[in-house]
Structures are given as C-alpha cells and as structure tokens.
Amino acid sequence: MSTLSDLVYAQGRSSEADVEWLHRLVGDGQLLADLAFADVVIWVPTPDDSFVAVAHTRPSGAATLFYRDIVGDPVRPQWRTQIRDAFRDARIVDSASPDWFEETPTRVRAVPIVRTPATADAPAQAIGVLTRHTNLGEVRTPSRQQMTFNDCADDLFQMMASGGFPDLNAPTSPRRGAPRASDGLIRVDVDGMVTFVSPNALSAFGRMGFDDELEGQSLVEVITRILPDKQQFDETLPVVATGRAPWRTDMEARGVALSLRAIPLRENGARAGAIVLCRDVTEIRHQEQELITKDATIREIHHRVKNNLQTVASLLRIQARRTYSDEAREALTHAMRRVSAIAVVHDTLSEGLAQNVDFDEVFDRVLKLVAEVAAAPNTRAQTHKTGLFGTLPSEYATPLALALTELVTNAVEHGLAGKEGTVEIVADRNDERLQVHVRDSGIGLPEGHVGRGLGTQIVRTLIQGELSGTIDWHTIMGSGTEVTIDIPLRYIDRA
C-alpha cells in the first residue's frame, strides 16, 4: 500500500509543507474519529479537479461505515460537490439531508484542512478536506460523555477550518503510551477549571490517591495535592494541566505513572479552554525501565567478555614469546589473533544500546590488528578495504569478523610470504546479499587446490554453517588468490 506522502505527491498539487501538515493531522486521526464517534477520511485534490482519499481512520467506540479502507479511492459522486465546496470556499459544509451509504443512513460533514489562515489581504487556502461520516443507524440517546466528546470534535474541526489545528509547534513524541480519548479525557476552561472528566480519567486520578470530585476544581491544584512534596516533576506539567500549550508530560504518585497531553482550544483566535487527555502508563514505564536495565546489563556483559578475551589474548601472547617451538609459537599466535578479533566485536557492542554493530568500524580495527600480527619480518603487506559492509546483528558480526581474520591472515602469511604485496578486501552489499572478495597479489594457489589447514576449516564452518553462505577460492589470472564470500541477507534480516 502506498504511503500518505506517495499518494499526496502523486497528485502534484501539494508542497512539502502541506505533506508535513497532513502527516500531523493523520497522527491525530484516531483522536478525531473517537471524539466524533465517526469514520474520518482525508482527501486531497487531484489534477482533474476531483479528490482522492489519502487517509482513513475508524472510530474505536462506534460502528464503522466502511468495511474496507478507501485509501487511494477517488471521491464518490454523492460526496464530490460537498467536498469541492468545502475545499474551494475554505468553510465547513454539512450534508443537507441524510446520505445513504450501502443502505445505511449517514450524515457527512466536510471540513477544509487549512494551513494558511485568512488575512486582511488574502482568504484562507485549503490544502485538503476531512470528512466525518456518522452512522445514523446507530443513533441512540447520547450520554453526557458522548455529547462532550462531540463538542470537542466540533471545536477541533472549527480550528482545523481556520488553520489552528494541528499545531506544528507541538513537539513530536513517541506514539507508544500516547494518551487516547478512550483512556481518559478532561476538559478545562480558560482558567484551568475542570468542566468535564470522563470516568476513565477520574479512575486514573483515583489510583494516584485523589478521592474527591474533579469537576469544578482547578486541575493544577488537584495535581499539586496529589504529587509528593519532595518529588521533582517536569516543569511543563503546570502548562499542560492548564492547557496553555500543546505539550505532553508525565506525572507519578503512589507508584502510578500518568501521561498527560494538552490540546489548547481556540475560538476566533482567543483561548477557549483545552482538552487534557490522560492515560495510565504505569506498566509501559515499568517495561521501559526493564528494557533500560536489560540494555545496561547486556552492555556490561559485553564489556566484561571483552576484558576477559583480552586477558586470554595477553596470556597467549606471553606464552608464545616463551615457547621455543616455532610450530607451537605459530599456533599460539593464531589463537591470540582469533581471540582478539572476537574481543573487538564485544568491545563495539559494549559501546551502544543496540545489538547491531557497524561492521565497517569493527573490520577496520580487525584489519589493523591482523596486518600488524601476521606480517613476517621479510613480508611487507599493504591492506586496504573498499565498499561498505553496513550494520550487522552481533550473532553474524562475530563469525564474519573471525572468518575474514583468517582469510586476511592466510593472504599475508602464505600469499605474500617473504615479499611485498597488497591485500584488498572488497565489500559489495545490496538488499539481498552481502558479497566479500579478499584478493592478494601473492604467489597464488594451484587452480582447484584449497588449503586443508585449521584456518580453512574454521572459515568453512563459520561461513557455511553459521551464516548459511558460500565460499570460493580461485587463482587470479597472472598471480594472486581471490576468495569470494556470499551471504544471503534474508537470514540476517530475520535475526
């Protein structure tokens, strides 16, 4: 399915600023649908002077009219004139009589989406139209809450038609844990006095220790009484509680965390009170704290593993220096280098929160380590890398780093033994595969001949067994050896 930006830009009549405005409005689409107890659809004009739907939100507390999303559909004939009038005149247009949609009576309201308010020199300009589709077949005697919710929706629609909603000055915040109308709604007047509180909102404050009536009281004073005297709180809390700014903040008391979001209401440019949404986010905050603790623990584990591996590498280095057997010294040196390569991966993981690593950074450190350790007295190797590996999960970074360590080591020790030459590592990554070429300018291998040493066995096991990839050795025309590693990225993406 196309994104909102794709659908809007495809019409060729909207700017980047228009798209940002529509994105903000779509972000509040669920709020508008829940307050209006109706389906909400956003339309933008098309080159042929019609309209296309770019967003559709169903109400969570009422029956929907649309079994399938109508995003991407052209406007239906019975709505075209009403939507066109609202767009052209930048005014709200209500249907004159019930509109029948699939044998269901409905009432349609077309609200212009105005980004540039009217001035003395120029009229308001609409960038799209929002339609509210109310199911009249579900009509029943409205409760006080439903009437208040509808009043709030009407206020927001009026602000939308005058360019006052959404507010681009409102800071963006994560959608996770954001208060919704069904979680709790409080309406305050221009003085911050509560004129309405939904049952869910009253219950949330009750869990924080407030056992009185909330209506008729100052919301700021109620919050002040609830919060512990010595507790530090967000300085924006009074601003949110009075509805003076479109911000969001948290408050906590008696082990209960409450998230508050203020939506200031304006009428003819003057403050007319505010909607304050509230949601009990205690469980969400506990989960977030557990994740933070888990991340810190994992980072500490990686740090300790890195320290332990470096200690092991140091012991192997000391043992190699005190060994008189050349064969034993070489084996210990290889083991030290392998342990050090794994330590580099854990060191990188200990520095970040994600369990993914920038493998280019890891391999640059490994390459420097290998070039220093593997070069013999009479061997002068120049190593360089081209291309990008990108980000890899830790469970793939370790075997790949170890495999490339072995390949570069073999190229330096055996391919360039006793001579000067180059070792080139080329990374080629796309959406489907990661391919790595390790080339040296050494003596080369007889075609079809592959080493049978421990290093070759390690490389095969890591690439084929752990990364589900393939590996191929062949001699470059003229001189040198090239090893090609091919790893399917679909396995990495599932990790």
Side-chain angles (χ1 to χ4, degrees):
M1 180 179 292
S2 300
T3 64
L4 180 141
S5 299
D6 294 336
L7 289 169
V8 175
Y9 282 131
Q11 312 312 316
R13 299 184 57 173
S14 300
S15 66
E16 185 175 342
D18 293 342
V19 174
E20 181 182 1
W21 191 274
L22 292 172
H23 269 294
R24 284 292 187 105
L25 185 58
V26 171
D28 280 322
Q30 191 63 59
L31 171 66
L32 294 172
D34 290 345
L35 291 176
F37 294 92
D39 287 89
V40 168
V41 183
I42 295 177
W43 308 85
V44 296
T46 61
D48 59 355
D49 292 327
S50 186
F51 294 85
V52 63
V54 296
H56 173 208
T57 307
R58 296 178 174 86
S60 58
T64 180
L65 284 170
F66 305 99
Y67 178 72
R68 290 184 175 85
D69 282 342
I70 61 174
V71 173
D73 292 352
V75 64
R76 301 191 178 213
Q78 65 264 37
W79 305 328
R80 185 181 294 115
T81 300
Q82 184 180 354
I83 293 175
R84 183 183 293 124
D85 290 346
F87 180 79
R88 182 192 59 209
D89 302 333
R91 64 182 178 88
I92 297 176
V93 179
D94 289 309
S95 55
S97 58
D99 175 75
W100 289 86
F101 179 79
E102 296 183 356
E103 300 182 355
T104 301
T106 66
R107 182 171 61 248
V108 180
R109 164 170 282 195
V111 183
I113 303 171
V114 175
R115 186 172 67 85
T116 306
T119 63
D121 300 326
Q125 294 291 326
I127 62 174
V129 175
L130 178 146
T131 53
R132 180 184 72 179
H133 302 260
T134 304
N135 186 346
L136 297 181
E138 295 286 326
V139 170
R140 59 183 182 277
T141 303
S143 63
R144 181 169 177 251
Q145 174 172 308
Q146 184 172 350
M147 289 189 293
T148 302
F149 276 31
N150 280 323
D151 289 342
C152 291
D154 289 340
D155 290 338
L156 293 178
F157 290 147
Q158 291 289 345
M159 290 172 58
M160 188 188 309
S162 61
F165 184 82
D167 192 333
L168 291 186
N169 294 322
T172 58
S173 57
R175 291 293 172 188
R176 176 178 167 83
R180 301 160 300 190
S182 57
D183 295 319
L185 183 143
I186 301 172
R187 179 147 184 170
V188 297
D189 61 18
V190 291
D191 298 319
M193 304 297 292
V194 177
T195 60
F196 172 82
V197 55
S198 70
N200 285 345
L202 187 61
S203 296
F205 275 80
R207 289 191 290 273
M208 303 187 81
F210 181 76
D211 56 2
D212 199 355
E213 290 296 331
L214 195 54
E215 288 190 30
Q217 300 201 49
S218 167
L219 185 58
V220 173
E221 294 179 1
V222 170
I223 291 176
T224 302
R225 295 203 303 268
I226 291 175
L227 293 177
D229 294 336
K230 297 182 179 181
Q231 177 180 309
Q232 293 183 345
F233 57 87
D234 191 338
E235 60 184 9
T236 63
L237 183 55
V239 180
V240 173
T242 55
R244 293 181 178 272
W247 291 341
R248 177 180 163 188
T249 188
D250 286 1
M251 57 180 287
E252 186 172 349
R254 300 181 65 176
V256 177
L258 202 64
S259 180
L260 302 176
R261 179 196 174 188
I263 305 174
L265 299 176
R266 292 185 174 275
E267 184 176 348
N268 298 324
R271 288 184 58 239
I275 300 169
V276 179
L277 303 176
C278 60
R279 180 179 183 180
D280 188 337
V281 292
T282 306
E283 187 61 31
I284 293 176
R285 296 294 176 262
H286 285 168
Q287 292 174 359
E288 291 174 349
Q289 187 60 45
E290 289 175 358
L291 288 175
I292 292 173
T293 303
K294 176 184 176 182
D295 288 336
T297 302
I298 292 175
R299 290 174 63 187
E300 179 62 22
I301 291 173
H302 284 303
H303 181 71
R304 294 189 182 188
V305 170
K306 181 262 297 184
N307 289 342
N308 291 338
L309 290 173
Q310 288 181 336
T311 300
V312 173
S314 298
L315 294 174
L316 292 171
R317 184 184 297 109
I318 294 172
Q319 188 65 48
R321 290 174 180 173
R322 295 188 178 186
T323 300
Y324 296 102
S325 168
D326 292 339
E327 183 178 352
R329 184 182 301 109
E330 182 180 1
L332 289 171
T333 301
H334 280 304
M336 181 272 295
R337 185 177 56 253
R338 291 162 184 154
V339 172
S340 297
I342 299 174
V344 169
V345 177
H346 284 281
D347 187 29
T348 304
L349 289 169
S350 69
E351 296 173 354
L353 292 177
Q355 289 305 297
N356 296 325
V357 297
D358 181 352
F359 194 79
D360 293 283
E361 177 186 348
V362 170
F363 187 65
D364 287 343
R365 296 171 61 182
V366 170
L367 190 58
K368 183 178 179 181
L369 174 68
V370 172
E372 291 176 353
V373 176
N378 297 326
T379 302
R380 296 182 60 185
Q382 296 180 353
T383 58
H384 61 276
K385 175 181 75 72
T386 58
L388 296 174
F389 289 94
T391 301
L392 296 175
S394 60
E395 55 266 39
Y396 288 86
T398 299
L400 183 58
L402 192 53
L404 292 177
T405 297
E406 293 296 327
L407 293 176
V408 175
T409 301
N410 288 339
V412 174
E413 289 187 344
H414 303 294
L416 304 179
K419 59 179 291 188
E420 180 177 352
T422 61
V423 178
E424 181 182 13
I425 300 92
V426 180
D428 182 14
R429 178 172 180 168
N430 56 37
D431 293 337
E432 298 294 331
R433 316 193 73 77
L434 169 63
Q435 196 171 76
V436 185
H437 303 273
V438 180
R439 306 186 184 108
D440 67 69
S441 59
I443 58 176
L445 289 171
E447 192 63 36
H449 177 77
V450 178
R452 298 182 180 179
L454 177 60
T456 302
Q457 295 178 20
I458 290 175
V459 171
R460 285 189 183 279
T461 300
L462 293 171
I463 299 301
Q464 298 176 348
E466 296 196 28
L467 297 178
S468 301
T470 60
I471 183 168
D472 177 60
W473 284 263
H474 61 276
T475 300
I476 302 175
M477 293 298 294
S479 64
T481 302
E482 180 179 55
V483 183
T484 302
I485 295 174
D486 195 318
I487 302 172
L489 289 185
R490 62 179 181 272
Y491 293 104
I492 294 178
D493 293 338
R494 291 173 185 171

